Amino acid sequence: MSDGKQIWVLVEVLAGAVKPVSLEALHAGTTLAGELGAAVTAVVCTAPGVAVPEAVATNGASRVLHIQHAALEAFNSLALIEALAPQIQAQNPEVVMMGATNHGKELAPALAAKLGVGLATDCIALDVEGGVLKARRPVYAGKAHITFQFGDTRPCILTLRPNVFRSGETPAGKTVPVEPVTAEIAGNGLRLKVKEVVQAAGRKLDITEARIIVSGGMGMQKPENFSLLEELAEVLGAAVGASRPVVDNGWREYSNQVGQTGRTVSPDLYIACGISGAVQHLAGMSSSRCIVAINKDPNAPIFDVADYGIVGDVLEILPVMTAEFKKVLHK
Ligand SMILES: Cc1cc2nc3c(=O)[nH]c(=O)nc-3n(C[C@H](O)[C@H](O)[C@H](O)COP(=O)(O)OP(=O)(O)OC[C@H]3O[C@@H](n4cnc5c(N)ncnc54)[C@H](O)[C@@H]3O)c2cc1C
């Protein structure tokens, strides 16, 4: 166990692989550790017998804590809290951070409430000023940013927006030791038990993790036309997103929905096809690095946030784009 200041990064492992957002959190943790004079502990919670992926031990952490218990086989926030809270209380990390994934969004507030400490969710920037940690996140559907400063309680709990804290550097590759810990969880006392996990059929790339998203709105006109988006997505290695009315109409599943009541995404490239650009949609995608909009209405509000705009019929433009990208990318 480390005696100095620690930053804990809770790492999500799915089907033997580290979630990209957890690698981003390790990168953010390492940067913060330099500014706070702390060291990073990567924390992986699994059932016994599950191996910790090598990437956890080679991405900037100085130690890896592998907390194990049979109740941690599937995601269960109550079991995780039972496993984590005593370790946090015993080891006093300054900061506990994790991705703002579905799991992180459920675990972080419950953990903060259990420990009676402060929480900043969906952070897009972390700074240290005069030794004090400040966390920035969007508010009012992305129209403004707020900066949090934590009080005296520790740890500060943070969730990080996926795709924001990416590292351009290849990790040093130094492998640090994994410390196994057996959690004590009163199995019969848990109020929540996971009986079965059912994987969604034909699951594609998660839009929150995709570097490129091609997203369709009501301008796609009918569900069959989404095949044009699927074809472009295939060529670009992208995920397909959708506006809310598209999802409400049952043309696409809810996990595709981008916006205030859907998912928040920050890809490198967001191609909005037949999407008007309502404020509730912008809330979910305006932090994309480059936005391309295709709309037949030159006054559509989406053009106010777009870096590149194409005025025209999306059903004519998409096949041309797909063919051109195929040529350029040799697909
Ligand atoms: C509380 C609340 C929460 C909401 N949450 C969300 C949310 O999470 N996500 C979300 O997306 N919305 C959300 N909405 C709905 C939002 O207000 C808009 O109604 C919605 O985003 C509009 O979707 P759209 O752009 O696909 O459709 P429309 O507004 O109907 O726009 C269609 C666009 O397609 C263009 N178009 C039509 N035909 C073509 C063509 N052939 N070629 C090119 N362009 C064409 C039109 O010019 C138009 O700009 C929410 C609303 C409320 C009140």
Side-chain angles (χ1 to χ4, degrees):
M1 172 182 147
S2 156
D3 293 330
K5 275 190 194 171
Q6 296 176 61
I7 293 176
W8 281 23
V9 176
L10 303 191
V11 175
E12 280 186 48
V13 175
L14 192 67
V18 180
K19 283 201 129 200
V21 66
S22 295
L23 296 177
E24 292 162 27
L26 280 169
H27 170 62
T30 313
T31 310
L32 200 61
E35 294 172 43
L36 285 174
V40 173
T41 299
V43 182
V44 185
C45 299
T46 71
V50 176
V52 173
E54 201 185 334
V56 181
T58 56
N59 267 275
S62 2
R63 61 195 274 255
V64 177
L65 206 57
H66 185 193
I67 301 178
Q68 301 164 53
H69 192 280
L72 300 172
E73 187 177 358
F75 175 78
N76 178 334
S77 55
L78 294 188
L80 280 164
I81 287 168
E82 293 285 313
L84 286 165
Q87 296 295 332
I88 291 172
Q89 281 157 341
Q91 302 199 30
N92 288 321
E94 275 289 299
V95 177
V96 173
M97 57 167 74
M98 63 195 90
T101 58
N102 287 345
H103 292 178
K105 285 175 187 171
E106 182 178 331
L107 174 63
L111 186 60
K114 170 81 177 179
L115 297 170
V117 300
L119 166 75
T121 57
D122 200 25
C123 299
I124 56 166
L126 303 174
D127 293 307
V128 177
E129 278 176 33
V132 177
L133 171 62
K134 299 196 169 172
R136 192 157 78 240
R137 60 157 300 189
V139 287
Y140 300 121
K143 284 197 182 131
H145 288 172
I146 191 166
T147 302
F148 287 90
Q149 182 175 319
F150 287 87
D152 294 334
T153 55
R154 292 290 178 272
C156 311
I157 300 195
L158 308 167
T159 66
L160 308 185
R161 180 176 285 197
N163 262 337
V164 172
F165 292 90
R166 293 204 315 245
S167 163
E169 299 151 28
T170 314
K174 186 178 148 240
T175 306
V176 295
V178 176
E179 298 170 28
V181 176
T182 302
E184 285 182 22
I185 300 177
N188 293 332
L190 281 181
R191 282 167 290 141
L192 176 73
K193 288 188 183 127
V194 179
K195 296 215 156 169
E196 193 187 0
V197 177
V198 181
Q199 188 74 37
R203 200 175 167 78
K204 300 249 170 87
L205 185 59
D206 187 311
I207 58 169
T208 58
E209 289 173 1
R211 300 277 171 101
I212 304 177
I213 297 175
V214 285
S215 204
M218 291 308 288
M220 295 302 295
Q221 294 172 25
K222 52 183 179 180
E224 297 78 43
N225 289 338
F226 273 76
S227 61
L228 297 174
L229 294 180
E230 296 282 2
E231 283 159 24
L232 179 58
E234 178 73 31
V235 173
L236 295 176
V240 176
S243 68
R244 177 168 162 170
V246 164
V247 173
D248 287 348
N249 282 347
W251 298 0
R252 303 292 298 184
E253 60 187 56
Y254 174 69
S255 61
N256 292 177
Q257 186 183 317
V258 175
Q260 189 180 324
T261 44
R263 319 287 288 277
T264 304
V265 297
S266 297
D268 290 337
L269 174 62
Y270 188 88
I271 308 180
C273 305
I275 293 177
S276 57
V279 64
Q280 296 88 354
H281 188 82
L282 302 184
M285 45 64 76
S286 57
S287 59
S288 304
R289 286 176 173 78
C290 178
I291 298 171
V292 175
I294 309 172
N295 199 301
K296 67 178 185 184
D297 174 4
N299 298 314
I302 191 75
F303 289 126
D304 296 341
V305 295
D307 298 284
Y308 299 94
I310 303 172
V311 178
D313 186 340
V314 71
L315 304 181
E316 289 172 11
I317 292 164
L318 277 172
V320 177
M321 274 177 90
T322 304
E324 288 302 316
F325 275 123
K326 265 188 188 164
K327 275 191 225 157
V328 174
L329 300 171
H330 306 293
K331 291 203 170 171

